[in-house]
Amino acid sequence: MSNISDHLKVAAVFAESVRRELRHLPADAVADLTDGLESDIASSLLDGVKLADPAEYATDLLRGAGLSVDKQSTGGRSVVSENYDRILAAFAKAKTFTTGLAPAWWLTRAWVVTQVLGWVLNDSDDTRVLVGQWGEEKILGVAVFIAVLYLSVVLGRREVKKSRLRNVITLSVVVAGAFLTTGQFQPGSNQGFSYSASPVTLPCGLVPNFVGLSVMEMKNMQESGAVSYAIEYYDKETTANMTQTIWNQPATDFRKLIVVEQENPSQMSCTTPVILYVEEGAVATTTVPVQTSSTIASQLSTTTSSVVSRVVSTTSSVAKQVNRTTTSLSR
Amino acid sequence: MRNVNTPQNRAVERSQLLKGVLDLAVLAVVAEQDAYGYDVVRKLRTYGLNDVAEASVYGTLRRLFSTGYLSSYVVPSEEGPHRKYYGMTAIGREWLVEQQSQWIDFRNVIDAIIKNDEGVS
């Protein structure tokens, strides 16, 4: 390592590893324990100190702070949250597995339909099992099977397309609803939007493109619950993790700090934090939205417009992607 | 017979001894001058506590802050992330004086025992 910038990068990565080791704790406890950690680690690196194992480091940190090192008993995110993550992972796994079985199902149902047709159209023979119901007319049976198989596959693909489209629509509504119900819009207001008033704060969601927004706007959205997934801020130039700094200071301090780059926009975020790179830019002209229904129409801020336009843009780009996928499937 | 006087065993023994007095050592260092986490570690090492674990010191600072013995403030840095500095509070200084007194009494007792033991052997 030759300079402070390199040390800061290493320190940022190491601090994140330590935070991951502490993820069983409530977020505020982790923030409290690791605030300023990057600069301390960078200083020790400058002195030539070798970094310890992050897990061991986290344990020392907990012991020093007088906290339990037992991950099961330290509350906060704890067992409920971890079990929720496990259920989501198991569900995703099961869904992938069953999706993979779809062609086998299409084949099976085609074969069953062919045999049932053969049994209905030919003379019934109770001595024969279902297999080979076309008797002497085997060639006709094969032709019917091919035709039924074709229909079965076409039907199956339509079901997949519908399922994907349904998922995209559901997600789009949820994400749009999450932004629209943060107090910036109200049900029934004359904004030309309609959305579900059902609960929208989910642990994960479709990530819109935040590039161009100020950190102040981002922080306001996070605090209002509009963005419920984890977001991490990094300095574009030094790649230093600024997440803690941003959380510990008022949102208005970050008017000039603009999101200039984002990792994985338009992707699902459940357990992986959204990474935003920020740097000093022009002063953001937006204001914090006032959350009273009487002033909604007049105080429709640039923030709201830009966020909604990004959500709509993200939604439409995803819809286009689905269309392309379904078109290619149909071919 | 198993050799118990290995460097590893000595390090473990030192860390056990240190556990009881780390709060006092950290407070004494901060009482000299406000300091950030690694600054405290560096000063402790300068005094001879070379094997003190950095993270233990940082955790200790957080705990002493949460108990009200230390205050903290953030100093922004142009080169990178901010530094979190710690300073003494009035209640922290009172507690430090009390702990210093207790330590001296304790040390005198242990010194007396050790010297007596040396005379016997």
Side-chain angles (χ1 to χ4, degrees):
Chain A
M1 290 298 128
S2 56
N3 57 44
I4 184 74
S5 174
D6 290 337
H7 289 312
L8 286 171
K9 284 177 191 169
V10 173
V13 170
F14 185 78
E16 273 315 296
S17 303
V18 173
R19 288 192 181 98
R20 272 199 294 278
E21 294 295 333
L22 298 169
R23 62 183 180 274
H24 58 287
L25 293 172
D28 55 346
V30 177
D32 181 47
L33 272 173
T34 60
D35 186 23
L37 196 58
E38 282 88 349
S39 61
D40 285 330
I41 294 168
S43 299
S44 70
L45 287 169
L46 275 173
D47 275 2
V49 176
K50 288 184 179 173
L51 292 173
D53 172 52
E56 195 182 319
Y57 198 93
T59 303
D60 283 345
L61 202 54
L62 288 169
R63 285 205 176 112
L67 299 171
S68 169
V69 295
D70 181 3
K71 291 188 175 181
Q72 294 296 318
S73 65
T74 42
R77 194 171 169 277
S78 73
V79 180
V80 173
S81 182
E82 283 178 2
N83 283 343
Y84 179 68
D85 288 349
R86 281 194 202 107
I87 290 166
L88 280 181
F91 179 74
K93 215 175 196 177
K95 198 174 175 186
T96 305
F97 178 71
T98 53
T99 305
L101 286 179
W105 161 238
W106 300 341
L107 185 70
T108 306
R109 70 181 173 190
W111 177 77
V112 170
V113 169
T114 306
Q115 297 308 324
V116 171
L117 279 173
W119 180 70
V120 172
L121 296 175
N122 291 285
D123 291 337
S124 177
D125 183 349
D126 292 340
T127 62
R128 287 187 295 185
V129 290
L130 194 62
V131 180
Q133 289 300 316
W134 288 83
E136 301 301 317
E137 299 172 39
K138 282 181 182 168
I139 295 173
L140 182 59
V142 170
V144 170
F145 173 70
I146 290 169
V148 173
L149 180 61
Y150 174 77
L151 289 172
S152 176
V153 171
V154 169
L155 189 66
R157 281 181 169 176
R158 275 188 190 166
E159 283 167 358
V160 169
K161 276 188 263 179
K162 275 183 188 172
S163 170
R164 285 179 185 167
L165 195 59
R166 196 164 51 234
N167 286 344
V168 170
I169 290 168
T170 306
L171 280 168
S172 304
V173 168
V174 165
V175 173
F179 284 102
L180 296 173
T181 52
T182 59
Q184 295 162 2
F185 290 86
Q186 293 291 320
S189 64
N190 296 322
Q191 307 301 332
F193 292 93
S194 64
Y195 60 92
S196 165
S198 58
V200 290
T201 305
L202 295 178
C204 57
L206 200 60
V207 181
N209 190 348
F210 295 119
V211 172
L213 291 183
S214 73
V215 170
M216 180 187 76
E217 291 164 325
M218 292 300 305
K219 197 176 172 190
N220 284 335
M221 285 193 291
Q222 284 186 278
E223 286 175 342
S224 67
V227 178
S228 57
Y229 34 75
I231 291 182
E232 287 181 2
Y233 301 90
Y234 289 85
D235 187 303
K236 171 68 178 165
E237 199 174 22
T238 65
T239 69
N241 189 331
M242 301 183 66
T243 312
Q244 296 307 317
T245 313
I246 286 166
W247 271 111
N248 289 338
Q249 293 180 41
T252 47
D253 286 0
F254 301 102
R255 274 173 186 273
K256 290 184 181 176
L257 217 50
I258 307 297
V259 178
V260 292
E261 195 181 319
Q262 175 178 354
E263 285 184 9
N264 303 328
S266 306
Q267 299 295 310
M268 285 296 296
S269 173
C270 290
T271 54
T272 310
V274 177
I275 306 293
L276 301 180
Y277 292 92
V278 299
E279 68 180 18
E280 288 264 316
V283 178
T285 54
T286 52
T287 54
V288 180
V290 178
Q291 300 185 12
T292 55
S293 56
S294 59
T295 54
I296 290 298
S298 61
Q299 297 188 7
L300 179 61
S301 65
T302 311
T303 308
T304 311
S305 307
S306 60
V307 170
V308 171
S309 68
R310 279 177 174 79
V311 173
V312 170
S313 162
T314 302
T315 309
S316 87
S317 70
V318 172
K320 280 177 190 168
Q321 199 172 346
V322 170
N323 279 340
R324 279 198 295 275
T325 309
T326 51
T327 307
S328 64
L329 277 171
S330 304
R331 280 175 190 158
Chain B
M1 190 172 174
R2 196 166 62 93
N3 179 19
V4 293
N5 197 22
T6 62
Q8 289 83 1
N9 282 344
R10 282 200 298 274
V12 170
E13 285 163 5
R14 267 178 74 87
S15 85
Q16 292 297 321
L17 284 172
L18 187 59
K19 268 182 190 171
V21 290
L22 187 58
D23 287 13
L24 176 60
V26 167
L27 271 181
V29 165
V30 178
E32 289 174 11
Q33 190 178 14
D34 288 5
Y36 57 89
Y38 185 69
D39 208 11
V40 175
V41 173
R42 196 186 274 145
K43 284 175 182 168
L44 289 172
R45 287 179 177 160
T46 306
Y47 280 112
L49 294 176
N50 295 314
D51 42 6
V52 65
E54 275 180 52
S56 296
V57 174
Y58 303 153
T60 302
L61 285 165
R62 265 68 170 184
R63 182 164 44 76
L64 292 172
F65 168 73
S66 63
T67 50
Y69 296 147
L70 294 178
S71 60
S72 85
Y73 54 93
V74 167
V75 176
S77 164
E78 289 185 4
E79 289 182 331
H82 66 264
R83 285 199 188 286
K84 191 170 186 179
Y85 275 77
Y86 292 92
M88 292 292 286
T89 62
I91 189 174
R93 287 193 187 281
E94 282 175 22
W95 192 78
L96 177 61
V97 170
E98 192 184 313
Q99 289 297 303
Q100 281 169 331
S101 170
Q102 278 189 24
W103 169 251
I104 290 165
D105 290 345
F106 181 73
R107 189 191 64 192
N108 289 339
V109 170
I110 299 298
D111 281 351
I113 293 169
I114 291 171
K115 280 173 188 167
N116 193 32
D117 190 43
E118 280 174 353
V120 170
S121 60

